[in-house]
Each structure stands twice: as C-alpha cells, then as structure tokens.
Amino acid sequence: MALRLVYLIFLRLVGLLAGAARPSKRIKPSKADYMRLLCAVHAELRAPLILVWDNLNHHVSAAIRRFVDDHDWLTVVQLPSYAPELNPAEGVWSHVKRGMGNLAACGIDQLAGIVRSRLKSTQYRPALIDAFVTETGLVIQSQPP
C-alpha cells in the first residue's frame, strides 16, 4: 500500500485593517472545502482512501460523518482526542518548519509559497512519508480483498 501526502493550503484573508500587520479575522477551510479535496484526490488516484484524522471540529462534524458514510471509497481512522504523538501530520509539519526559524518572509504569499514548495518536495519522497507514520508507532496493513 502506497502512502501519499495530500495537503490543503487555504489562504483567504479578510478583514484586513489599513496598515494592520495581521488580519482581523481568520477563515479556515470549510467542511465543503474538505469534501471537495477528498473527491478530487479520489478522482486523481482512482483508488479507495484511508484517512487518519485528528479531532478537528470539521473532521468530527455531522456533515463530514454523513459524507464519509455516503462514500464507500472513503475510510476514516479517528485518532484519540489528544494524541499528537500518533498523528503523522505532526511529523510532516515539524519537517516543513525545520530550517524556517530565521526566515523573514515579505508577506503571506511568500510564506505560503515556501510552505507549499516544502510540502510538494515531501510528496516526492515516499520513504520520508513512510517514516512519519513509522515514527508514530502505528501500523498500516493492507486488508485482503
């Protein structure tokens, strides 16, 4: 079974005040954004998906639960309430942030570009993606057909 890294970078900043260093309101991806992403990934890979999800509000919402139940190609493995050590995404973000400590980005677009570039390079390193899962101690096994 090949593990893949799929990510969603969401940049929609609203409510910027004139001269403000930070947006006054932060908007995160919506449930619909997650559903569209999953459908696009499924269409691209043409294979069933197994998601390992933390307990982000959107991940445990009734709408997402219905979406998962309605799509037989989608399996979700829910992590315990607070278990960052079991979440492979924590290793991914640690890897992406490594070396960015002295970065002085000129703006949110430049920062997003750097993060996107690092995530993209990670996608092409399957052994590294496997290592993020291995680091958690979780074992992913293929099920017989």
Side-chain angles (χ1 to χ4, degrees):
M1 174 182 343
L3 300 177
R4 304 277 175 105
L5 171 65
V6 178
Y7 58 89
L8 172 65
I9 293 181
F10 196 81
L11 293 175
R12 182 171 47 177
L13 302 174
V14 297
L16 285 174
L17 302 173
R22 298 170 80 76
S24 61
K25 185 175 181 186
R26 183 174 167 214
I27 297 180
K28 296 181 180 181
S30 69
K31 294 174 192 103
D33 292 324
Y34 283 105
M35 290 183 242
R36 278 192 296 274
L37 174 68
L38 293 172
C39 288
V41 169
H42 175 63
E44 176 74 22
L45 297 178
R46 291 183 230 121
L49 302 180
I50 300 171
L51 301 173
V52 178
W53 261 354
D54 58 15
N55 289 286
L56 181 70
N57 289 343
H58 286 336
H59 296 170
V60 295
S61 72
I64 292 290
R65 200 48 48 209
R66 280 191 303 277
F67 178 81
V68 170
D69 291 344
D70 291 345
H71 294 87
D72 61 349
W73 48 262
L74 185 57
T75 301
V76 173
V77 177
Q78 202 73 44
L79 292 173
S81 291
Y82 182 76
E85 70 280 0
L86 296 177
N87 191 344
E90 297 294 333
V92 173
W93 286 115
S94 177
H95 178 75
V96 167
K97 292 186 291 186
R98 193 171 298 126
M100 292 179 67
N102 293 322
L103 175 70
C106 295
I108 191 77
D109 291 333
Q110 183 187 20
L111 179 60
I114 291 166
V115 169
R116 189 176 291 114
S117 172
R118 289 176 183 227
L119 286 169
K120 189 72 162 170
S121 69
T122 302
Q123 285 181 310
Y124 294 106
R125 298 177 62 193
L128 183 60
I129 295 169
D130 289 344
F132 296 137
V133 174
T134 300
E135 185 179 81
T136 66
L138 300 174
V139 177
I140 298 178
Q141 297 175 332
S142 298
Q143 292 182 335

